[in-house]
């Protein structure tokens, strides 16, 4: 199948009350683990790339790997640019073939966030590329965006309505108390905000900060309208632990392909658990 945007997959997910996993990849091996897990389970899937990963490999190289995997897959695969503040990079990814992009202007004042997000919708929409936009400030580190606890704030439901009505994103990321990275203590999720925002905006919601959330939290957020569920830190850990774990256990063996296989297996194992939990298995 060729690459698709997020529109159909997210509207089906909202209607069916399941979540589509959006997994941040780092290279070909991790992208392959995502697609392979989705294929084994017959699930639609979103491959996410951070802005840093795009810059590291180059947009055309990265997209080439992803397109090759998607073309051969039997399930719908979208490729989405995660948290991007840079309009030039968004334009570059659109031109290179990304099917979806996120503008993260959440650190800007409301009107400026709105205007930048609107510009991206105007750039992407005529090319049938979906757009995610954010409101509020999600605590933690994602890519080169660092939000300290004291600077984080939840999305205001009234502002969220105005933002979505004026920007018309395809997917909306309100800050609801989840965090990027490893949780220090139990997160306090503002379910009431999620509920109000999802019901009033009627736009599929993206759940950020997926790594480390309890199963029950995922289920509740998905039931309230989180159609896209983001997982990044878990994959970074599996990427490194899978690699080093194999080498530690076989420290006299220098067989890189066996190490890459162990890394692949470790990433895929976690992704399979996520997809089953989010309820998207069999929904391709
Ligand atoms: P985690 O790194 O906590 O899984 O969050 C992922 C995310 O929200 C990417 O935007």
């Amino acid at each position: 199948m060729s690459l698709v945007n997020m529109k159909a997959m997210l509207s089906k997910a909202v209607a069916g009350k399941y979540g589509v996993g959006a997994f941040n990849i780092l290279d070909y091996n991790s992208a392959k683990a995502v697609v392979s897990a989705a294929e084994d389970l017959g699930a639609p899937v979103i491959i996410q790339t951070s802005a840093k990963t795009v810059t590291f490999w180059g947009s055309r190289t990265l997209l080439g790997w992803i397109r090759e995997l998607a073309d051969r897959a039997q399930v719908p695969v979208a490729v989405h640019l995660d948290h991007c503040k840079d309009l030039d990079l968004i334009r570059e990814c659109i031109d290179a073939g990304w099917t979806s992009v996120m503008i993260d202007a959440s650190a800007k004042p409301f009107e400026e966030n709105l205007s930048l997000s609107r510009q991206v919708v105007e750039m992407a929409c005529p090319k049938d590329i979906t757009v995610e936009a954010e409101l509020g400030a999600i605590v933690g580190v994602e890519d080169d965006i660092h939000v300290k606890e004291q600077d984080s704030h939840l999305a205001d439901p009234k502002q969220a309505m105005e933002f979505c009505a004026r920007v018309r994103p395809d997917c909306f990321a309100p800050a609801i108390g989840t965090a990027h990275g490893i949780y220090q203590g139990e997160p306090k999720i503002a379910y009431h905000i999620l509920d109000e925002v999802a019901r009033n905006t009627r736009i599929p919601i993206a759940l950020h900060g997926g790594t480390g959330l309890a199963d029950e939290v995922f289920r509740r957020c998905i039931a309230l309208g989180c159609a896209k569920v983001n997982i990044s830190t878990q994959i970074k850990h599996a990427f490194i632990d899978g690699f080093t774990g194999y080498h530690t256990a076989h420290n006299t063996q220098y067989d890189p392909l066996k190490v890459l296989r162990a890394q692949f297996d470790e990433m895929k194992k976690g992704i399979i658990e996520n997809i089953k939990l989010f309820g998207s298995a069999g929904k391709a």
Side-chain angles (χ1 to χ4, degrees), residues 16-239:
K17 290 207 180 295
Y18 59 87
V20 178
F23 300 99
N24 287 58
I25 58 109
L26 300 145
D27 64 352
Y28 184 75
N29 210 24
S30 45
K32 195 171 158 201
V34 172
V35 175
S36 174
E39 284 213 277
D40 283 5
L41 296 172
V45 79
I46 300 163
I47 289 185
Q48 276 188 166
T49 61
S50 72
K52 259 192 193 165
T53 304
V54 177
T55 309
F56 185 88
W57 294 110
S59 54
R60 299 214 172 257
T61 303
L62 192 55
L63 206 276
W65 294 336
I66 296 168
R67 180 174 283 134
E68 189 257 339
L69 288 164
D71 283 350
R72 283 194 284 122
Q74 302 298 314
V75 294
V77 179
V79 55
H80 177 75
L81 175 65
D82 196 19
H83 295 278
C84 191
K85 303 186 278 191
D86 176 357
L87 261 56
D88 289 337
L89 188 63
I90 291 179
R91 195 170 292 111
E92 180 183 327
C93 287
I94 289 176
D95 291 344
W98 263 252
T99 57
S100 189
V101 293
M102 176 179 186
I103 165 72
D104 181 353
S106 59
K108 306 273 187 204
F110 180 73
E111 281 297 333
E112 211 177 323
N113 181 3
L114 204 147
S115 145
L116 286 164
S117 301
R118 184 67 219 156
Q119 271 184 58
V120 172
V121 170
E122 276 161 16
M123 195 195 301
C125 187
K127 299 188 168 171
D128 205 25
I129 287 161
T130 42
V131 176
E132 176 180 342
E134 175 173 332
L135 188 67
I138 299 172
V139 73
V141 180
E142 185 55 51
D143 211 21
D144 58 354
I145 300 176
H146 301 234
V147 180
K148 295 202 185 87
E149 182 85 49
Q150 65 268 28
D151 299 328
S152 70
H153 58 271
L154 301 180
D156 171 71
K158 282 206 177 61
Q159 276 196 336
M161 269 194 51
E162 184 185 346
F163 185 85
C164 288
R166 288 171 64 192
V167 174
R168 302 307 306 161
D170 303 282
C171 181
F172 181 48
I176 55 163
T178 57
H180 293 128
I182 300 291
Y183 285 97
Q184 319 287 340
E186 206 173 312
K188 282 200 185 66
I189 314 294
Y191 293 108
H192 61 291
I193 295 184
L194 169 58
D195 186 31
E196 196 175 335
V197 169
R199 273 190 295 110
N200 291 338
T201 62
R202 306 176 73 82
I203 290 179
I205 305 291
L207 180 65
H208 282 252
T211 301
L213 290 179
D215 292 3
E216 195 37 47
V217 174
F218 280 121
R219 287 197 196 98
R220 209 166 151 191
C221 290
I222 291 168
L224 289 173
C226 288
K228 172 174 181 274
V229 185
N230 286 8
I231 302 284
S232 174
T233 303
Q234 171 196 305
I235 296 179
K236 291 181 191 162
H237 281 234
F239 185 94

Side-chain angles (χ1 to χ4, degrees), residues 220-282:
R220 209 166 151 191
C221 290
I222 291 168
L224 289 173
C226 288
K228 172 174 181 274
V229 185
N230 286 8
I231 302 284
S232 174
T233 303
Q234 171 196 305
I235 296 179
K236 291 181 191 162
H237 281 234
F239 185 94
I240 293 179
D241 293 345
F243 194 101
T244 54
Y246 185 89
H247 184 60
T248 307
H250 307 84
N251 64 1
T252 56
Q253 193 190 82
Y254 279 81
D255 188 337
L257 296 180
K258 285 195 177 147
V259 184
L260 289 178
R261 182 79 223 183
Q263 184 193 52
F264 172 90
D265 290 343
E266 188 67 22
M267 291 186 283
K268 183 173 169 182
K269 189 172 72 182
I271 296 163
I272 290 217
E273 282 169 18
N274 295 141
I275 292 176
K276 286 184 178 163
L277 179 62
F278 304 161
S280 55

